[in-house]
């Protein structure tokens, strides 16, 4: 390992030692789970902001989590950071035979789709060798955000051929499926309204509506996958745009001396449209002093 990496591993060991930091010493794999998730999302936010200096810092925080977990494991005698590095290196070589020459496959793959198909084939073979389940859907973590989990689940099914045709007819079928699911939700809502008095079990009615709404979201994920858009990323960016626009609406309302709570919906919609137009302008056309947030440097 490099001198810098060795130093970092040593610092973590010192923090976990008898005379180290009380907080660090009491952590476990379970207690650290929220921090790993938090640091990951902070990396994503920093990438959106195009702040390379901040990205360097946030990536370091993610690396710290890897070293932290490895130190805890080393103390328990289960594995070390060296084992983590060796396992990763072995996996990269094993899953890239077209690059590293395994089985005389060097240079045989020419596009990303072929690489992905081979990757899944190798992973299935690894699971089979380890005595694990052989479902095409294995390996999608249940702890993923629901939208991303749906995307990954559909992608796994598609790799074995369970997918819409990737042509104009397939796209039309997906749009039809979305419309079908919307119609079923409308029917469930109408049924709930008419049966409210005769069907006292509110939980059953709510479950039916939840199920139909979930089907709509799942079909929209299918649409996103078809047009090669990550739905988790798309929704995250849309939420960011909403927040940026709403902040401008609040700022303009404050400048006008009228709280949002005292404005009509029509008045707020007017400010909303103005905010959309303002944020749609190229960043370079705005005076430097008007850029109050790094997020405004991100094309919207």
């Amino acid at each position: 390992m490099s001198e810098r990496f060795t130093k970092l591993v040593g610092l973590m060991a010192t923090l976990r030692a008898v005379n180290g930091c009380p907080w660090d010493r009491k952590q476990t794999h379970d207690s650290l789970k929220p921090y790993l998730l938090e640091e990951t999302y902070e990396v994503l936010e920093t990438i959106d902001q195009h702040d390379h200096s901040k990205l360097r810092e946030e990536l370091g925080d993610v690396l710290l989590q890897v070293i932290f977990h490895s130190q805890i494991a080393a103390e328990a005698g289960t594995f070390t950071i060296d084992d983590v590095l060796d396992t990763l290196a072995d996996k990269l070589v094993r899953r890239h035979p077209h690059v590293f020459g395994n089985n005389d496959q060097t240079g045989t793959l020419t596009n990303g789709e072929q690489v992905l198909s081979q990757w899944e084939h190798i992973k299935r073979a690894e699971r089979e060798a380890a005595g694990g389940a052989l479902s095409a859907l294995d390996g999608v973590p249940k702890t993923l955000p629901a939208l991303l989990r749906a995307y990954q689940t559909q992608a796994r099914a598609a790799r074995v051929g369970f997918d819409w045709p990737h042509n104009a007819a397939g796209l039309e079928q997906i749009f039809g499926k979305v419309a079908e699911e919307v119609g079923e939700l409308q029917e469930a809502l109408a049924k709930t309204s008419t049966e409210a008095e005769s069907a006292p079990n509110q939980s059953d009615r709510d479950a039916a509506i939840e199920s139909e709404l979930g089907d709509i979201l799942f079909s929209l994920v299918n649409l996103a996958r078809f047009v090669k858009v990550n739905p988790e990323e798309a929704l995250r960016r849309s939420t960011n745009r909403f927040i940026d626009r709403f902040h401008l609406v609040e700022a303009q309302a404050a400048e006008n001396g009228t709280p949002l709570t005292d404005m009509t919906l029509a008045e707020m919609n007017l400010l909303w449209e103005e905010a959309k137009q303002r944020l749609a302008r190229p960043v370079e056309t705005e005076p430097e002093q008007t850029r109050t947030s790094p997020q405004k440097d991100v094309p919207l």
Side-chain angles (χ1 to χ4, degrees):
M1 293 186 290
S2 72
E3 181 179 347
R4 293 183 183 87
F5 193 82
T6 301
K7 177 182 178 181
L8 188 57
V9 172
L11 289 173
M12 190 72 255
T14 300
L15 290 172
R16 290 276 301 177
V18 175
N19 295 322
C21 171
W23 186 89
D24 289 292
R25 293 188 64 231
K26 73 176 185 179
Q27 299 311 308
T28 66
H29 290 307
D30 286 331
S31 70
L32 289 175
K33 287 193 297 185
Y35 301 103
L36 178 57
L37 190 61
E38 178 183 338
E39 298 298 353
T40 301
Y41 281 117
E42 288 181 1
V43 168
L44 296 179
E45 183 175 353
T46 306
I47 291 174
D48 282 346
Q49 295 172 350
H50 295 186
D51 187 337
H52 300 296
S53 176
K54 185 68 173 176
L55 177 59
R56 178 182 62 192
E57 177 184 348
E58 297 299 344
L59 287 174
D61 290 342
V62 172
L63 177 59
L64 172 61
Q65 293 301 309
V66 175
I67 294 175
F68 208 149
H69 281 281
S70 299
Q71 179 60 33
I72 293 173
E75 293 165 5
T78 52
F79 62 84
T80 68
I81 187 63
D82 289 332
D83 296 325
V84 172
L85 297 176
D86 288 340
T87 300
L88 176 57
D90 291 343
K91 182 187 294 184
L92 288 174
V93 172
R94 186 173 63 251
R95 295 186 178 177
H96 293 84
H98 55 291
V99 175
F100 298 107
N102 313 39
N103 301 321
D104 297 323
Q105 294 186 33
T106 307
T108 57
L109 305 184
T110 59
N111 60 59
E113 287 74 17
Q114 292 175 339
V115 171
L116 194 58
S117 176
Q118 176 180 261
W119 181 279
E120 285 302 315
H121 177 75
I122 294 173
K123 287 175 65 176
R124 285 197 299 272
E126 291 173 351
R127 288 195 294 268
E128 183 177 3
L134 300 178
S135 171
L137 305 184
D138 287 344
V140 180
K142 294 181 180 180
T143 52
L144 282 177
L147 204 61
L148 183 56
R149 186 181 177 212
Y151 178 82
Q152 294 290 359
T153 297
Q154 292 179 12
R156 297 293 178 91
R159 289 169 196 165
V160 296
F162 192 73
D163 198 10
W164 303 92
H166 278 244
N167 51 35
L171 181 59
E172 190 65 26
Q173 287 177 292
I174 294 176
F175 276 120
K177 186 62 176 178
V178 172
E180 175 188 329
E181 299 296 354
V182 171
E184 291 180 0
L185 175 61
Q186 291 173 322
E187 291 177 6
L189 289 169
K191 186 176 181 181
T192 297
S193 177
T194 58
E195 295 182 355
E197 296 182 0
S198 60
N201 194 337
Q202 181 66 37
S203 62
D204 287 347
R205 297 195 298 272
D206 292 344
I209 293 173
E210 179 187 274
S211 176
E212 297 300 345
L213 184 57
D215 288 346
I216 292 175
L217 294 173
F218 197 79
S219 62
L220 287 174
V221 170
N222 238 330
L223 176 59
R225 189 175 53 82
F226 190 94
V227 297
K228 301 186 185 304
V229 170
N230 186 312
E232 184 78 21
E233 183 73 6
L235 182 58
R236 193 168 60 85
R237 288 181 180 273
S238 290
T239 302
N240 288 342
R241 286 196 298 271
F242 179 90
I243 292 172
D244 286 344
R245 292 167 181 172
F246 195 82
H247 284 167
L248 285 181
V249 169
E250 290 177 317
Q252 188 61 55
E255 185 176 324
N256 294 343
T258 306
L260 291 182
T261 52
D262 293 341
M263 297 176 65
T264 66
L265 180 58
E267 290 171 331
M268 285 189 282
N269 278 336
L270 181 61
L271 294 182
W272 178 264
E273 291 302 320
E274 292 174 356
K276 286 176 61 177
Q277 293 177 10
R278 179 177 173 185
L279 289 174
R281 300 172 194 154
V283 173
E284 290 75 13
T285 64
E286 297 185 10
E288 186 66 28
Q289 62 269 25
T290 66
R291 301 183 192 175
T292 58
S293 168
Q295 285 190 336
K296 291 184 179 179
D297 290 335
V298 182
L300 298 178

